[in-house]
Amino acid sequence: MHVEVRGLNKHFGDFHAVKDVNFGITKGHLIGLLGPSGGGKTSILRMLAGLETPDSGEIVFHGKTVNNLPPQEREIGFVFQNYALFKHMTVYENIAFGLKVKKANKHTIQNRVAELVELTGLKGFEKRYPHQLSGGQRQRVAFARALAPEPQLLLLDEPFAAIDAKIRQELRSWLRELIERVGITSIFVTHDQDEAIEVADEIMIINQGRLEQKGTPWDIYKEPKTPFVATFIGESTLIGSAAELKGFHNTGGKPTKALIRPEYIEVGHLNEFKMASATEQGIVKHLHFRGSEWLVEVEVNGHKLVTYRSLEKETLTPGQEIAVLVHRAYLFNDERSWIQENGLKEDPMPVFI
Amino acid sequence: MRKLWIGLTYLVFFLLIAAPLGKMTIGAFSEGFGGFWDALTRPEALHALMMTGFVVVVVTLLNTLFGIMMALYLVRASWLGSRVKGLLNSIVDLPYAVSPVIGGLMIVLLLGPDSALGAVFEQIGVKIVYAFPGMVIATLFVTFPLMVREIMPVLQEIGSQQEEAASTLGAYGWTTFWKVTWPSIRWAVIYGVILTVARSLGEFGAVLVVSGNIMNKTQTATTLVYQDVENFNVTAAGGIALVLAAFSAGLLLLMEWSKRRKEVH
């Protein structure tokens, strides 16, 4: 289902939970709504489902405005954070509920439930009650139940929040596969960036009720549009004044801040760099072993920068003096934000011999 | 020392519950089984028991229906402001705090023949106070919190997500209530029904004020016991009291049984 949202607003009392949100979702895509807790993600999802009424704005499914349609008629499936399974019904009855309500005939119901039980790997559990299932199994029942009436849009509210870390990983890839196989447009809410990056085709970053950026995980990582997105996605260090960094003096005169990701920084001995003039002196403060690499904390001009260093390279020691090259930085001021390469990396007067 | 305390506990239990019950039973049969039977089969006694039965049935039906609705609206209604909800919530508890006699008096003042509202009803030929409707209203006033207070915590505990899930699956209000909400609250409702029956069976103060205690007309079992005691007819009073007590004991056993069922579920 093609989903279009225009100028969506929602207040809860004095609290402006969702602020003028616009977006469109292509049919068949899996979208992650990502952002800090209390940012309005769940409110957006609930308005799409019809469980909450927007104060203003338009929600369009398939070119048809659905603002006045109740949840019953929106052809959606909703998976709740705590599953919300009908606790007095068996797995079979839970999955069959939506079909029974729609008065499907008995034979159809049996076939559809059997199909979903197969698809979600719940075979043999049909007679169990929710309290006799593990967290992961309940989650699967919730999926199967939401998918049973063949909805056009699947909405998932923090689908993995209540599951322990080990099974979560497994369920993520399972969900990704399942949704691909069913081919249903899906939107899920999460506050876990790894989850969003791993599962979603596209991510929408929501902060304080606003949609900050929408795009593929790679685009968002590579080109964050707002300082919030830059800090929220990936690791980074914030530098109060970009001009203090070597190679970033020409920032347009305005006070400009810089965000630096670990992979933007290179550390090593002076002779390891081609353009030694672009490097700065730093002191290794701490070393943390991260399994496949070293996490290096290095101090440059009173700023603490963080980077990774391969295990293949010579091991550093804390207190050691070292050359640091900042390849690029994400700069922002009151007016705009942009990514800037280190100005000294390009030799201003190349000499050809 | 420990033995002393155990002994004391049993003594208190005996003095407070067993002894009066025993004395009442002996009193009821002081003139043999015939005396007990005669006391029960007096026309006014039969009428009073019948009145009590009617009041219990009507009050329980009304209280169950409106109790469930009140609980649902107090917990689920998003269209009520939190302040309105808080106010309604405390009003529900009012009958706990107000003496039943005062409850009865309020009804007489509001709907009595001297009041404006009572006069209107009188004109269309419906007598409320000193008649059956008034007794039902008075008993409803006293029993109203019982059902609401049984159901509300259960509704709060199960939350609204199961109901929302049902709505996204295409179920409308009525289906959602019967298929999703009702199975979760039915034991609370049964519990509430038992409490309502027990309370309306034994209600005295409010009914006494509203009914006027007219023999063979508005007299209930409890008000008849009161009258028999006033007339020093202890045997008759004991007989009816014994019937009421037996009924209550039966209800308590039923409640115990339903509690056990609840745990099994």
Side-chain angles (χ1 to χ4, degrees):
Chain A
M1 173 147 58
H2 181 78
V3 178
E4 190 82 43
V5 167
R6 291 183 212 120
L8 203 62
N9 274 289
K10 178 73 185 172
H11 294 258
F12 292 109
D14 293 334
F15 180 59
H16 199 168
V18 175
K19 297 171 189 161
D20 201 32
V21 167
N22 298 284
F23 59 83
I25 292 168
T26 323
K27 187 171 155 48
H29 271 207
L30 175 53
I31 307 293
L33 282 181
L34 175 64
S37 300
K41 311 179 295 285
T42 298
S43 301
I44 295 175
L45 203 72
R46 287 174 63 86
M47 283 191 275
L48 288 174
L51 295 170
E52 217 75 71
T53 321
D55 294 339
S56 67
E58 209 180 2
I59 298 169
V60 181
F61 291 172
H62 267 325
K64 203 176 114 201
T65 305
V66 295
N67 282 39
N68 293 323
L69 280 187
Q72 287 89 341
E73 286 166 34
R74 291 199 183 187
E75 290 191 85
I76 46 139
F78 201 107
V79 176
F80 290 84
Q81 188 172 352
N82 300 313
Y83 324 122
L85 296 179
F86 306 131
K87 58 178 185 179
H88 56 275
M89 293 187 202
T90 61
V91 168
Y92 183 96
E93 289 166 334
N94 262 288
I95 301 174
F97 185 86
L99 298 164
K100 274 190 191 150
V101 165
K102 296 221 162 83
K103 305 225 163 29
N105 72 51
K106 235 180 171 171
H107 195 65
T108 318
I109 295 178
Q110 271 173 3
N111 286 342
R112 180 80 181 138
V113 175
E115 186 190 326
L116 282 162
V117 162
E118 191 75 44
L119 191 70
T120 49
L122 286 165
K123 212 162 171 56
F125 294 97
E126 295 96 328
K127 294 256 159 58
R128 298 236 190 145
Y129 284 92
H131 67 91
Q132 298 167 314
L133 301 173
S134 72
Q137 288 167 336
R138 282 182 215 175
Q139 176 71 321
R140 286 158 192 250
V141 177
F143 277 123
R145 182 180 69 176
L147 289 174
E150 301 186 33
Q152 299 287 308
L153 175 67
L154 186 62
L155 303 167
L156 310 126
D157 187 7
E158 301 262 7
F160 308 113
I163 292 171
D164 54 271
K166 221 171 158 188
I167 303 168
R168 202 183 300 170
Q169 193 66 30
E170 220 177 278
L171 267 177
R172 269 187 211 161
S173 30
W174 174 82
L175 172 74
R176 166 97 239 187
E177 261 172 55
L178 179 81
I179 287 177
E180 246 163 51
R181 206 178 326 163
V182 180
I184 182 175
T185 314
S186 309
I187 303 173
F188 72 100
V189 159
T190 181
H191 60 262
D192 179 346
Q193 54 158 310
D194 292 341
E195 193 169 295
I197 288 170
E198 195 177 319
V199 178
D201 292 321
E202 265 192 299
I203 294 178
M204 288 197 266
I205 310 265
I206 311 283
N207 180 42
Q208 294 185 343
R210 265 180 233 288
L211 173 60
E212 299 261 346
Q213 191 173 357
K214 175 172 176 287
T216 64
W218 173 235
D219 283 341
I220 287 183
Y221 189 84
K222 207 173 49 182
E223 281 170 39
K225 291 253 167 62
T226 66
F228 174 79
V229 175
T231 46
F232 193 72
I233 290 279
E235 297 171 72
S236 55
T237 313
L238 180 72
I239 305 289
S241 170
E244 289 174 29
L245 290 169
K246 205 168 179 184
F248 295 92
H249 299 297
N250 315 317
T251 52
K254 289 195 169 245
T256 301
K257 292 180 183 178
L259 273 174
I260 299 168
R261 294 202 197 279
E263 64 270 25
Y264 292 173
I265 303 171
E266 200 180 332
V267 292
H269 296 294
L270 208 53
N271 55 24
E272 290 176 39
F273 294 95
K274 264 196 286 178
M275 288 296 305
S277 60
T279 64
E280 277 189 279
Q281 277 295 314
I283 293 168
V284 178
K285 279 285 169 196
H286 291 285
L287 284 166
H288 306 273
F289 183 54
R290 280 292 156 90
S292 52
E293 57 201 345
W294 288 103
L295 180 114
V296 184
E297 280 178 33
V298 54
E299 198 181 283
V300 179
N301 288 344
H303 298 296
K304 200 185 79 185
L305 300 176
V306 175
T307 185
Y308 291 102
R309 186 170 162 93
S310 164
L311 296 179
E312 296 299 321
K313 291 189 177 165
E314 187 194 330
T315 308
L316 305 172
T317 48
Q320 190 182 351
E321 284 213 355
I322 199 151
V324 179
L325 173 61
V326 180
H327 284 284
R328 70 187 67 81
Y330 177 82
L331 302 180
F332 62 96
N333 55 31
D334 300 343
E335 284 171 4
R336 61 192 193 107
S337 58
W338 70 101
I339 287 175
Q340 187 166 319
E341 296 290 322
N342 189 322
L344 298 173
K345 249 172 66 180
E346 297 298 319
D347 199 333
M349 286 180 288
V351 180
F352 296 101
I353 305 170
Chain B
M1 192 63 190
R2 191 157 156 253
K3 271 185 188 160
L4 192 74
W5 280 112
I6 294 174
L8 193 70
T9 311
Y10 278 108
L11 187 72
V12 167
F13 172 77
F14 180 79
L15 283 177
L16 276 179
I17 298 165
L21 204 64
K23 181 70 191 155
M24 193 178 75
T25 313
I26 292 165
F29 290 105
S30 62
E31 290 165 29
F33 184 76
F36 170 70
W37 188 248
D38 286 343
L40 275 191
T41 50
R42 286 177 295 162
E44 63 265 33
L46 285 177
H47 189 271
L49 284 170
M50 186 188 73
M51 252 351 237
T52 295
F54 281 155
V55 169
V56 167
V57 169
V58 174
V59 164
T60 306
L61 285 177
L62 289 175
N63 197 25
T64 305
L65 182 67
F66 290 106
I68 292 173
M69 293 202 316
M70 187 74 189
L72 276 174
Y73 290 141
L74 272 180
V75 177
R76 294 280 187 264
S78 53
W79 34 266
L80 281 178
S82 58
R83 220 173 275 166
V84 180
K85 264 192 205 172
L87 188 71
L88 281 176
N89 209 350
S90 44
I91 290 179
V92 167
D93 277 337
L94 198 66
Y96 278 150
V98 173
S99 154
V101 177
I102 294 169
L105 183 68
M106 292 196 291
I107 291 165
V108 171
L109 290 177
L110 184 71
L111 296 166
D114 301 332
S115 71
L117 224 66
V120 171
F121 280 110
E122 199 99 354
Q123 259 180 358
I124 56 170
V126 182
K127 225 172 158 242
I128 291 186
V129 170
Y130 310 125
F132 187 67
M135 294 157 70
V136 168
I137 293 171
T139 315
L140 262 181
F141 174 84
V142 174
T143 55
F144 191 63
L146 296 172
M147 185 64 78
V148 180
R149 286 286 171 254
E150 279 299 318
I151 301 171
M152 271 181 71
V154 180
L155 279 177
Q156 268 152 356
E157 193 202 313
I158 59 171
S160 56
Q161 287 211 330
Q162 287 187 52
E163 287 156 26
E164 287 176 348
S167 75
T168 64
L169 290 165
Y172 283 91
W174 198 240
T175 317
T176 303
F177 177 76
W178 281 116
K179 294 272 172 70
V180 178
T181 316
W182 173 250
S184 300
I185 61 167
R186 64 185 161 192
W187 286 106
V189 172
I190 289 171
Y191 218 75
V193 165
I194 292 170
L195 286 175
T196 307
V197 171
R199 188 74 181 81
S200 45
L201 201 64
E203 178 44 34
F204 173 74
V207 167
L208 184 70
V209 176
V210 171
S211 70
N213 201 11
I214 308 162
M215 196 180 275
N216 284 329
K217 254 185 115 185
T218 63
Q219 195 165 49
T220 65
T222 46
T223 53
L224 175 61
V225 170
Y226 166 70
Q227 196 183 344
D228 282 342
V229 172
E230 289 275 277
N231 297 340
F232 303 105
N233 192 352
V234 180
T235 311
I240 295 165
L242 192 64
V243 170
L244 287 175
F247 214 93
S248 300
L251 279 175
L252 284 179
L253 289 176
L254 194 69
M255 194 134 107
E256 278 304 308
W257 171 80
S258 79
K259 256 194 215 165
R260 221 170 299 144
R261 273 298 305 267
K262 209 159 137 189
E263 277 155 19
V264 168
H265 184 67

